[in-house]
């Protein structure tokens, strides 16, 4: 499949988790702008320093910066057969840049919209913990570690991601409503293929099953129609 799968949904909708499943299933890389930005912060480099304050407040980082990061990442050889975009695009300007870039690269986009109820998001994010060493995500209700507060893989103490604090979560949700959610209409207008998946309930594996079923259905429709 020479496709960019665009995982779309509010913070806490499970984009990261579903991206990992998609990576395992299709063997194409995940491009998470959030992870890339956190990497820069961890390395304390120039980019990291310039984005840290905005990220910690829950606001979006400048379009030019994320666009340049994604352009550079998408031109790597491991993306020739496609990729999974997680957390990008988030603004109209990013979406426009992305569609041009995909055209240049000969990839077509398929948007997977994870639809989740607002209250469920708040509950999910407030229970979220991450391993500072290996990055594994846990959740006190849906995916607890075997020993509370400790990573199953490496025994490291779990932490709350800086931008998962409640006031920051509210800001992130607002940024989503204001800047990102309207992109669904933009994608529709552009004629992008779009899957809507109910991601409010059920285990992550079951939601992934739904995504795969929808993808298969779409593929066969496309084949039949062409
Ligand atoms: P979530 O989807 O749970 O909000 P992410 O890891 O995708 O988490 O993003 C965390 C933060 O990184 C965002 O709040 C924002 O500050 C920054 N960020 C990530 N991706 C983008 C993007 N495409 N454009 C602007 N800022 C971004």
């Amino acid at each position: 499949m020479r496709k960019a799968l665009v995982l779309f949904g509010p913070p806490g909708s499970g984009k990261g988790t579903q991206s990992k499943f998609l990576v395992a299933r299709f063997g194409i890389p995940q491009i998470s702008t959030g992870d890339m930005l956190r990497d820069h912060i961890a390395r304390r480099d120039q980019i990291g320093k310039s984005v840290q304050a905005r990220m910690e407040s829950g606001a979006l980082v400048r379009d030019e910066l994320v666009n340049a990061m994604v352009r550079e990442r998408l031109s790597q050889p491991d993306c020739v057969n496609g990729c999974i975009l997680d957390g990008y695009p988030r603004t109209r300007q990013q979406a426009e840049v992305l569609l041009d870039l995909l055209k240049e690269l000969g990839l077509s986009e398929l948007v997977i919209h994870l639809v989740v109820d607002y209250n469920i998001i708040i509950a999910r994010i407030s229970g979220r913990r991450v391993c500072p060493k290996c990055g594994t995500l846990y959740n006190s209700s849906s995916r607890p570690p075997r020993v509370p507060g400790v990573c199953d893989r490496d025994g490291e103490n779990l932490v709350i991601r800086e931008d998962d604090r409640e006031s920051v979560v509210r800001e992130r949700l607002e940024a989503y409503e204001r800047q990102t959610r309207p992109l669904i209409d933009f994608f529709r207008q552009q004629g992008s293929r779009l899957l809507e998946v109910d991601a409010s309930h059920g285990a992550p594996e079951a939601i992934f099953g739904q995504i795969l079923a929808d993808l298969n259905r779409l593929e066969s429709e496309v084949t039949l129609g062409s």
Side-chain angles (χ1 to χ4, degrees):
M1 73 146 82
R2 288 184 43 77
K3 269 197 198 72
L5 300 177
V6 180
L7 271 218
F8 196 88
S13 56
K15 297 188 296 289
T17 308
Q18 297 302 329
S19 295
K20 299 256 167 354
F21 288 142
L22 288 164
V23 168
R25 177 72 174 71
F26 294 113
I28 51 178
Q30 171 191 14
I31 300 178
S32 158
T33 43
D35 285 349
M36 289 164 94
L37 292 166
R38 278 186 289 278
D39 253 19
H40 283 291
I41 291 178
R43 286 202 299 268
R44 295 172 196 279
D45 62 13
Q46 204 53 44
I47 293 182
K49 283 183 191 140
S50 73
V51 301
Q52 187 158 10
R54 286 193 76 77
M55 276 187 78
E56 286 178 358
S57 74
L60 294 184
V61 166
R62 279 189 301 124
D63 287 335
E64 295 70 29
L65 196 148
V66 245
N67 285 337
M69 244 170 41
V70 170
R71 169 175 279 278
E72 135 106 60
R73 181 64 189 89
L74 268 172
S75 13
Q76 305 290 316
D78 62 334
C79 293
V80 286
N81 290 321
C83 62
I84 293 145
L85 291 169
D86 164 12
Y88 180 92
R90 263 175 152 95
T91 65
R92 171 71 180 254
Q93 213 255 346
Q94 292 179 17
E96 286 171 357
V97 166
L98 174 68
L99 293 188
D100 284 347
L101 183 57
L102 293 179
K103 223 171 268 158
E104 244 174 66
L105 296 169
L107 296 170
S108 61
E109 75 284 359
L110 195 160
V111 181
I112 302 174
H113 181 193
L114 302 178
V115 183
V116 186
D117 182 85
Y118 192 85
N119 293 321
I120 291 181
I121 288 172
I122 303 276
R124 275 190 195 164
I125 297 186
S126 57
R128 189 145 85 173
R129 298 291 181 273
V130 62
C131 172
K133 197 166 167 198
C134 69
T136 303
L137 280 175
Y138 297 89
N139 197 292
S140 49
S141 50
S142 57
R143 188 171 185 253
R146 282 193 295 270
V147 180
V150 178
C151 181
D152 292 347
R153 289 191 174 170
D154 49 32
E156 200 74 19
N157 284 330
L158 302 178
V159 298
I160 300 183
R161 218 171 73 180
E162 194 52 34
D163 61 352
D164 277 348
R165 282 177 295 115
E166 203 184 316
S167 58
V168 182
V169 168
R170 232 175 287 126
E171 176 57 38
R172 281 161 62 205
L173 283 169
E174 265 171 44
Y176 178 78
E177 287 299 323
R178 205 170 47 238
Q179 292 165 281
T180 308
R181 191 208 281 278
L183 294 185
I184 288 290
D185 283 337
F186 171 75
F187 282 122
R188 277 212 186 91
Q189 284 156 13
Q190 299 297 310
S192 305
R193 278 186 292 161
L194 181 71
L195 289 181
E196 303 261 351
V197 179
D198 177 2
S200 280
H201 306 285
E205 289 77 8
I207 294 166
F208 182 59
Q210 189 59 52
I211 293 177
L212 281 187
D214 286 356
L215 279 175
N216 279 332
R217 186 176 41 74
L218 203 72
E219 285 297 316
S220 56
E221 276 170 17
V222 171
T223 316
L224 287 175
S226 59

